[in-house]
């Protein structure tokens, strides 16, 4: 295959009918506005293929001899003339009205043949014509062509802005190549209108390659607009035919065609009607049986119902979010003012919505969120600021005294205050720390901010109820608590010191009970464990617990716990008199216990096994 046949989709040289058919088929998929370069290549291939087909036909048949005699043309037109659209594409004129019969002494000329560029010799019995009608007709046609060209240039200048940039560039480079096709189409329009052709003839022209080759050419569109504007009395049937021809390519989607549609008198209803006529799903719907239509309608109804429900939920959610966002914006402006009024110091809004900090200490974050209406008995918000103040005070206390403070029941998120504080104390020597802690908690309880409104009031009558900040302080050794003080009950310093003094023996009993050593040594249910005073052995202090027989009251085993809480010694009563130093405590069998919370405990057992 070679050009131009491959461009038209033909296997090789073909006749004019096959060329026209292939060209019309290609035009359906090659839109001039969307693919101008492809359209130019297709049109050039069509012209070249047509020329080669005519040359081949001429070489086979030779020039046709004119008929010897022609009948006189009829006085009135009986039917619309046929048009040779291939000749129009080649730039030759379509047949015009037949000329009037000449005077008897002048020869009779066939004007149809003259318009095609061929001369008809005079009849044999008449003399040769004195005038060169071929030259005269050519000169007249050149003048008409030049007038059309000037008119086109004016229209181009007037409508130049309607060209797309790529279309303007193409016009500047090869605009003259399309001139013969545009000229042929315009001449055909004029002949159709001048001869009062019926709508059927117009539709035949609109389906022909002459029109299809220039349908999307903006020069032709300009000339067509000019043609329509000068003929306002053109019949509605013809205007409708032109509209249908352009709407086949959805021309209403392109702004450049709007002036043409206005001249055609196209309304939106016409455009919608044309779109519905081309709609494949509408055509398919019309072909469905009734049961299938019913099923589809029910399915779409159910889907629409679910969609409406989902849309309603989304709208309500969006409205709620918008309201919450607006309330948050108002809160970030209102909260610092209320906090300053209630706590007596300025505050600033931090990064997140309900996060604030004192202006004097911007790293001390706390939470404050709106709750209820602000009134004389209710602040209008809930805040963790009092709890944060307690947390900071206890952390400073533990840091100053070198104590271990563990925060329990605490999310550890920024701005949250813990609900419990575990202060780990050594088993000896922390009596002053216990007293100082009692003084600190007493001082905090007297602060005005320490009394806060009820967290979750059930009704307005509870708005006036105030209570201390909710937290609990535990005194512990290695996480094992021996005293707890809820904030609403207060810290009893005397009780805390008394329990602290008993913490060592209590820890020893706990180890014996948890490990099962006492049951193994004394027999389950046959003994009681009694606390005794701490003893000094060598340089060490040991907490003492006696395992006493429940029936006789006799001391059977003495248990000694080192003051650090990590070593336990089990000594029978009869061997205790021989203990003079710490070395004597290590004469038994060593073993290791691992207990929850407390961890590892070293045990030296001198009690004989059963």
């Amino acid at each position: 295959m070679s050009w131009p046949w491959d461009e038209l989709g033909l296997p090789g040289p073909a006749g004019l009918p096959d060329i026209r058919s292939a060209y019309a088929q290609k035009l359906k998929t090659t839109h001039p506005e969307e693919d101008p370069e492809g359209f130019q290549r297709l049109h050039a291939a069509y012209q070249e293929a047509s020329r080669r087909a005519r040359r081949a036909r001429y070489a086979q048949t030779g020039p046709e001899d004119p008929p010897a005699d022609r009948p006189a043309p009829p006085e009135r037109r009986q039917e619309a003339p046929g048009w040779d659209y291939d000749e129009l594409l080649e730039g030759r004129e379509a047949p015009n009205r037949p000329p009037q019969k000449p005077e008897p002494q002048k020869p009779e000329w066939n004007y149809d043949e003259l318009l095609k560029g061929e001369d008809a010799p005079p009849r044999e019995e008449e003399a040769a014509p004195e005038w060169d009608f071929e030259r005269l007709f050519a000169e007249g046609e050149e003048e008409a062509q030049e007038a059309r060209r000037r008119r086109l240039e004016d229209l181009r200048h007037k409508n130049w802005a309607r060209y797309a940039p790529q279309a303007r560039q193409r016009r500047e480079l090869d605009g003259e190549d399309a001139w013969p096709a545009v000229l042929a189409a315009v001449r055909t329009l004029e002949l159709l209108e001048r001869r009062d052709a019926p709508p059927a003839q117009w539709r035949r022209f609109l389906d022909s390659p002459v029109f299809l080759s220039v349908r999307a050419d903006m020069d032709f569109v300009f000339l067509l607009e000019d043609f329509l504007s000068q003929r306002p009395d053109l019949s509605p049937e013809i205007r409708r035919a032109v509209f249908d021809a352009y709407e086949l390519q959805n021309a209403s989607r392109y702004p450049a065609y709007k002036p043409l549609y206005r001249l055609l008198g196209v309304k939106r209803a016409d455009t919608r009607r044309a779109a519905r006529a081309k709609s494949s799903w509408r055509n398919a719907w019309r072909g469905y049986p009734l049961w299938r239509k019913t099923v589809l309608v029910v399915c779409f109804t159910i889907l629409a119902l679910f969609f409406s429900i989902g849309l309603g939920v989304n709208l309500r959610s969006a409205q709620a979010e918008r309201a919450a966002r607006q309330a948050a914006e108002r809160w970030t402006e209102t909260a610092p003012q209320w906090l300053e009024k209630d706590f007596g110091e300025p505050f600033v809004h931090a990064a997140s919505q309900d996060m604030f900090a004192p202006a004097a200490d911007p790293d001390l974050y706390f939470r404050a969120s709106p709750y209820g209406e602000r009134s004389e008995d209710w602040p209008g918000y809930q805040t963790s600021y009092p709890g944060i103040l307690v947390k900071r005070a206890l952390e400073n206390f533990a840091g100053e005294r070198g104590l271990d403070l563990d925060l329990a029941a605490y999310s550890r998120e920024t701005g949250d205050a813990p609900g419990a504080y575990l202060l780990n104390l050594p088993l000896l020597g922390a009596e002053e720390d216990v007293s100082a802690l009692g003084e600190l908690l007493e001082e905090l309880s007297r602060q005005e901010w320490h009394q806060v409104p009820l967290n979750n009031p059930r009704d307005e009558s509870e708005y006036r109820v105030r209570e201390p900040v909710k937290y609990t302080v535990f005194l512990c050794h290695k996480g094992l608590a021996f005293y707890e003080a809820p904030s609403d009950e207060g810290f009893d310093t005397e009780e805390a010191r008394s329990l602290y003094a008993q913490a060592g023996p209590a820890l020893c009993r706990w180890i014996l009970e948890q490990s099962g050593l006492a049951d193994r040594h004394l027999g389950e249910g046959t003994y009681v464990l009694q606390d005794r005073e701490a003893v000094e052995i060598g340089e060490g202090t040991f907490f003492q617990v006696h395992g006493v027989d429940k029936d006789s009251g006799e001391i059977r085993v003495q248990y000694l716990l080192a003051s650090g809480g990590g070593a336990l010694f089990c000594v029978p009563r009869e061997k205790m008199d021989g203990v003079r130093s710490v070395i004597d405590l290590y004469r038994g069998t060593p073993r290791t216990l691992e207990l929850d919370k407390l961890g590892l405990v070293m045990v030296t057992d001198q009690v004989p096994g059963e």
Side-chain angles (χ1 to χ4, degrees), residues 70-285:
R70 293 181 183 272
E75 295 182 0
R76 301 179 63 182
R77 180 181 56 81
Q78 299 296 329
E79 61 182 65
W83 305 92
D84 189 346
Y85 295 104
D86 294 313
E87 295 178 352
L88 290 171
L89 280 174
E90 290 299 318
R92 288 181 281 177
E93 179 63 279
N96 206 331
R97 294 181 183 274
Q100 299 294 329
K101 188 174 182 179
E103 295 295 331
Q105 68 276 13
K106 295 181 180 180
E108 182 179 353
W109 295 90
N110 187 337
Y111 293 98
D112 292 333
E113 298 298 332
L114 287 173
L115 283 174
K116 295 182 181 180
E118 301 175 1
D119 56 347
R123 299 182 184 275
E124 294 180 0
E125 64 274 10
E126 295 179 354
E130 297 180 6
W131 307 97
D132 188 353
F133 289 100
E134 183 176 0
R135 181 178 58 80
L136 293 175
F137 274 107
E139 291 176 356
E141 181 57 29
E142 290 178 0
E143 292 178 359
Q145 180 174 345
E146 185 62 28
R148 293 189 186 95
R149 185 186 296 272
R150 288 194 300 270
R151 179 59 180 163
L152 176 57
E153 293 296 335
D154 293 341
L155 292 173
R156 277 187 182 178
H157 180 73
K158 178 181 178 181
N159 299 283
W160 188 253
R162 289 166 56 187
Y163 274 109
Q166 62 271 21
R168 285 201 297 269
Q169 184 179 7
R170 178 168 54 84
R171 283 291 167 212
E172 293 173 357
L173 296 176
D174 56 357
E176 296 302 324
D177 294 343
W179 170 253
V182 173
L183 176 60
V186 172
R187 283 188 302 179
T188 306
L189 286 175
E190 294 174 350
L191 290 173
L192 288 170
E193 189 273 335
R194 188 164 60 245
R195 295 194 175 189
D196 195 20
Q201 189 67 31
W202 282 80
R203 290 188 181 277
R204 181 170 176 265
F205 161 69
L206 295 172
D207 290 335
S208 68
V210 175
F211 172 76
L212 295 177
S213 64
V214 297
R215 176 177 58 184
D217 192 295
M218 292 307 297
D219 287 338
F220 176 74
V221 173
F222 297 156
L223 290 172
L224 181 57
E225 293 172 5
D226 184 62
F227 175 83
L228 294 171
S229 64
Q230 294 180 12
R231 293 162 179 82
D233 57 344
L234 198 64
S235 68
E237 293 81 2
I238 296 176
R239 293 177 183 272
R240 180 60 175 272
V242 176
F243 163 71
D244 291 340
Y246 273 95
E247 196 55 27
L248 284 175
Q249 58 172 344
N250 296 322
S252 59
R253 297 184 306 174
Y254 303 99
Y257 291 97
K258 288 183 178 179
L260 174 62
Y261 274 49
R262 284 197 297 268
L263 290 170
L264 290 172
V266 177
K267 301 178 181 179
R268 289 189 176 181
D270 298 327
T271 305
R272 289 194 292 268
R273 174 191 54 76
R276 287 195 297 269
K278 293 184 295 182
S279 176
S280 59
W281 72 267
R282 285 180 178 271
N283 296 330
W285 175 261

Side-chain angles (χ1 to χ4, degrees), residues 277-334:
K278 293 184 295 182
S279 176
S280 59
W281 72 267
R282 285 180 178 271
N283 296 330
W285 175 261
R286 295 189 185 98
Y288 286 164
L290 180 60
W291 68 268
R292 180 174 293 182
K293 292 181 180 180
T294 304
V295 171
L296 291 176
V297 169
V298 171
C299 292
F300 278 114
T301 302
I302 295 174
L303 289 175
L305 180 61
F306 279 107
F307 177 77
S308 300
I309 295 174
L311 180 62
V313 172
N314 290 336
L315 287 176
R316 287 193 295 272
S317 177
Q319 292 174 354
E321 290 179 0
R322 182 167 59 253
R325 186 167 55 253
Q326 294 173 352
E329 293 174 356
R330 293 193 299 269
W331 174 244
T332 57
E333 299 176 358
T334 305

Side-chain angles (χ1 to χ4, degrees), residues 388-401:
I388 293 296
L389 293 178
V390 172
K391 174 175 174 286
R392 182 176 64 174
L394 291 176
E395 286 177 339
N396 292 339
F397 174 82
E400 292 171 357
R401 293 183 171 271

Side-chain angles (χ1 to χ4, degrees), residues 13-40:
L16 286 174
D18 294 336
I19 294 173
R20 294 191 201 102
S21 176
Y23 181 58
Q25 188 68 24
K26 284 287 186 177
L27 282 175
K28 296 179 180 179
T29 58
T30 306
H31 195 283
E33 288 294 332
E34 299 175 354
D35 187 9
E37 291 79 7
F39 173 74
Q40 286 293 334

Side-chain angles (χ1 to χ4, degrees), residues 371-373 375 377-378 453 457 459-466:
Y371 190 90
E373 296 293 333
S375 64
D377 300 318
W378 181 252
D459 51 49
E460 294 184 0
S461 63
E462 294 184 343
Y463 280 171
R464 293 183 292 274
V465 178
R466 301 179 72 85

Side-chain angles (χ1 to χ4, degrees), residues 401-404 423-434 475-480 482 496 499-504 507 543 562-565:
R401 293 183 171 271
L403 302 177
D404 179 24
L423 190 65
N424 286 286
L425 301 175
L427 294 176
L428 289 175
E431 290 83 2
E432 293 184 1
D433 296 329
V434 174
L475 299 182
C476 311
H477 177 73
K478 294 186 178 180
L480 297 175
F482 56 86
L499 292 176
Y500 175 70
Q502 302 172 22
L507 178 60
F543 301 105
S563 59

